[in-house]
Amino acid sequence: MPNRPSLLALACVVCVAPPAAPQATDWRLWDSVDRISGQATTECFADRRRDDGFDREVAESRETATLRFELERQPPRGVYTGSTHWQAVRVQVSGERSSSRSSSSTTSRQSYSETGSFSQELRDFENSVRLTLHWDSGRWQLLLPEQLEEPFELDVEWSQWSTAHSESGSDTTTSSSFCNVVFDGIAPSRIGTLTTDHEHMNHEEDGSGSSGKRGRATLQPGPSDVELSVTIDGYDDWRPLGSIDNPAAAGNHLVARAVLRPKIGRESAAPPEVEKLVFELIGTSSEPGVTMNWPLGASDEEPDLRLAIEPSSPGPVGERGQSLEVPDPPAGAGGWPWAAARIESFDFGGTSELRVVAVLEDGRLIDGRLEGGAAASGEILIPKRRPGTWIADAWRAAKQVGQLADNDDSEDEPAGDGDQGDGFTLYEEYRGFAMRRSGEKRVEGDPKRKDFFILNLIGADAWPGIQMFEDATRLRVHRLLDPSEMSVELRVMNGNHRDSAHLVDQHGVVVRTLTREKMGHRGAEAFVLASGHFAAKPATVEHVGMPSRNDPDSDAAKPWNLAAADLVTAFDMTLVHELLHTIGVDHHGQGDYSLRFRYLPAVYWANASKGQMYVVASPLWRPVEIREEATGANWADRIGPAFEAIFDNIVRAHVAEANLPPGTRFADLDQQTKNDLVYLLPEFHWQIGVENGQHSGNEQCPMRYGFAQAYPAHRPRQGPAVPQSSAPHEIYYLVPPGSEDIGIEICTARGGTGVNSPNRAPQSRYGDAAENFGNCAAQICVNDAVPPHDMGVERAKR
């Protein structure tokens, strides 16, 4: 809640030295005030955060209350009491309460939350609102009730998880207490509006938390013959705007018009002599920049809303545009004075409170009232909003977010790993983000769908992949940023904040083209700053490095075992895969490896079967069998004739080159030469996909690898001509080129599909995803405020 003293000398603000006391008899005038209307807003809050690198604890609570009331003067007690008392004759109170506690470690997590709201009319006036004003000092005190007359209901949500157990649930409880503040002030020496702010803060010495109370009370004496009516065209639907092109310029404005007029039933009253009409902005916000990211790293402290002259009502503008005086205001219909002022906005999320006061020639002050607004308060909230919040009611209605708190971050779409939110509070999504390449030059966050920002330094080549990523994840992806809107180094998208609702510095992700030298390989990679065994989040990802789309040697350009239709989008699918890594999604398993296979000629001594393949496993070779998947045939039998012919040519070339006698055979050569000649045959360096490894699980999931060239058979098979003693130790099936398919269906279970189906012949190629992996949709987490989780889906079971 804004907390700045008024520019008019109408009240005392807590912690500000009171003005010099006038004569005691001056305050006896207040005994003539029969009725006072008023409004008080209160907020109680507490925050505690502890994080030692292993255990994390977060506790937060917020309570707000708004009381609107009518007070009536009480008869004096005794001959001389020295004070005047007013007691409530009508009280309406409404408010909200929310609290949450969570703790987490690498092995357990617990959370508990309560939320509820209330709205009641209090009838026990003896224990309700009471105002006392002392004649000798002018000091006044406003006491509020501490309890509701009827309890209100709180919704409770709780969960706990450990490596051995998890459970969650919901319940309800009730409470009758609400946030209470005692207000104090010194009355002006002439009858006028009483207003005061209250703030009290406590801070833990170690910086781990804070708590406190704050509030504002406004009391308006009445009645009188005349009133000051304030109208603002478009007030109900207006929200503040800034300028992206010129942050120092106003984005839009309102015009407030104030006119003195007789009260209903006092139509015969004559227009009073008016010294001046004063417009004042109180508690104006001063958030850095104009949006959460524009300009980057803003640190200005200029007010977000400022008063400016309307040509019809000239007058001096006060410091920083927070006040405007119109002396000798012009007379309108019936000779009643009026004036107007412009309220200009320099921020997309600015707030303030407008007060308009008529200063009469006889010294009286008349506080302005918004026509059709709350009668109990002289302050007019700009923009129109609920007390204690910063968000315009019109935006809330348009986005259908009701009474959500400014710091709410409860989006559930997509559900992902079960953690709510995207790291941006409701206010931050309302204030928005600069994105000048978009049609409106600015985008807002989606309060019901998780937002994700990408700084695309690749260009048009990355557009298809980013669109596929958005379609697959159902995140709301913002992709039209440039480096002036998201820093390549810092990557924070909501860094422009000071007093507004803020939970965490939420990061975007950079995608860029990197040379093979910088990446150290021919593929793509999400470069994680510090991963360990924790899943990545945007805050932990330095960037996503991609090869050039047109690089023929990159892994993303090779067919591997993908179908021809998938090869067209291989680059895009690779980008989708790496972007999923940045939001916590892991592979379907691990353990895939590569092997080098070599054909041994029938004349070589180690080829006992005279027609097999051998894997090079220096210093030893071990015999294996390579089979064609469709037929089960030994692949060595098919390629044997061609390789035998190649080897015969190798032997003849060596005999000729070494000037050996004609007719020299392979068997006539020494053993070292034989070995050297065998090594001249081509070898096969293949990727091996294993069961429950990176190639396993749902065939259509983009987190599944698609470049294995062979996979192990479930069990060795012996041919009828192969004696038991010489049977191969291992059997591998060849993966026919173009026989696998990969889509953009983010999997929701670890079960194998397609080539990984359990009923596939001759067998499932790679099987189900590994335990606690697969189910990639349940790993998605974009929120940097969520504590680190272990990789895989076990973290979602809490």
Side-chain angles (χ1 to χ4, degrees), residues 4 6 42 65 89 171 236 362 370 376 460 494 515 588 609 614 685 690 695 712 725 730 743 751 771:
R4 295 185 181 179
S6 167
T42 65
V89 293
D171 202 350
D236 288 347
D362 62 9
L370 180 66
N494 57 348
T515 63
H588 285 186
S609 66
Y614 286 74
H685 193 180
V690 301
H695 291 74
S725 61
E730 302 168 32
E771 185 71 25

Side-chain angles (χ1 to χ4, degrees), residues 44-114:
C44 300
F45 51 91
D47 298 276
R48 177 175 173 79
R49 297 176 182 269
R50 179 179 60 83
D51 189 348
D52 61 9
F54 297 96
D55 297 305
R56 175 187 172 100
E57 180 183 10
V58 178
E60 299 177 328
S61 66
R62 291 287 185 279
E63 297 182 51
T64 61
T66 299
L67 296 93
R68 294 183 173 89
F69 45 84
E70 294 287 340
L71 305 177
E72 190 173 86
R73 184 171 59 85
Q74 300 298 297
R77 298 175 182 176
V79 179
Y80 176 76
T81 63
S83 61
T84 304
H85 302 274
W86 292 265
Q87 184 72 43
V89 293
R90 183 185 65 83
V91 181
Q92 183 72 33
V93 57
S94 60
E96 300 174 354
R97 179 190 294 180
S98 64
S99 65
S100 64
R101 301 191 305 272
S102 65
S103 60
S104 63
S105 67
T106 56
T107 59
S108 66
R109 285 182 290 277
Q110 295 181 343
S111 66
Y112 179 91
S113 66
E114 292 180 348

